Amino acid sequence: MKKVLKIIVSIFLIIVITLAAFLYYTSKPLPQGEKGIKAEALTDKIQDAINQKAWDSTAAVAFTFMGNHHYLWDKKRNLVQVQWGDKKVIYNNQTFEGVAYKNDKKLNDTDKTEAIKTANDYFNNDSFWLIAPFKLRDAGTTRSIVMQDNREALMVTYASGGSTPGDSYVWLVDENYIPKAWRMWVSIIPVGGFETSWEDWKTFPNNLKIATTHKGLLDVKLTNVKTGQSIEAINNDINPFTTL
């Protein structure tokens, strides 16, 4: 028994040491950027390339995250429907008022509050993989130019907003200023500078461009992406928000 225990402890120590070494040798320090005209000019070019104006005027969005979180989002009225497993939550993501169901049965107030919190956490994370390039100038952000791979890149730091404020993202762009990857310095990932791609860009109404695939340590796929000027237009003439 002691021999088995020693083997288990040895394996555990090897795993810990290997992980610590991986983090030490792969993590990169947050780059120091230069704020000002050049950073704002690069931001303008990225926003023009993906058509920020079209995104700003889009009223409704639908998408599925990783095949199991399904969203309808009324952007103009801050209303969101989130479905996962046997749960469905319909709520206002500013006031957090709404309704929640499990197997199509309404939840009581306590369970509803928890379900809305879970749905909002999902929405903040999952939607960011869809719309992050359109949030370069959100309130509470700062932008700066950094050098990455001998090219200028845009670093955006979020001082507030979402579920994990304080994170920084460095955007790498192609020759047309379409984002091709970002490098992340975020609280939930212990490795600084971890890179994930932005690819499979699709074109939506008004020449709006949205990336639907991200490849990195974990691959992220967004499917069933739709945009429009009303929830009914992208949801078979059905508006679930009439229940609010």
Side-chain angles (χ1 to χ4, degrees), residues 117-136:
K117 180 183 182 304
T118 298
N120 192 61
D121 286 342
Y122 285 159
F123 177 69
N124 284 341
N125 176 79
D126 299 353
S127 65
F128 199 63
W129 288 97
L130 183 85
I131 67 170
F134 303 107
K135 296 172 69 63
L136 305 182

Side-chain angles (χ1 to χ4, degrees), residues 8-46:
I8 293 173
V9 171
S10 297
I11 293 173
F12 176 75
L13 289 174
I14 290 171
I15 292 173
V16 170
I17 293 170
T18 301
L19 179 60
F22 171 78
L23 296 177
Y24 178 81
Y25 286 108
T26 59
S27 188
K28 301 173 184 177
L30 181 69
Q32 296 299 307
E34 180 182 347
K35 301 175 185 177
I37 295 175
K38 288 178 68 176
E40 298 309 317
L42 180 53
T43 304
D44 287 341
K45 290 176 180 177
I46 295 172

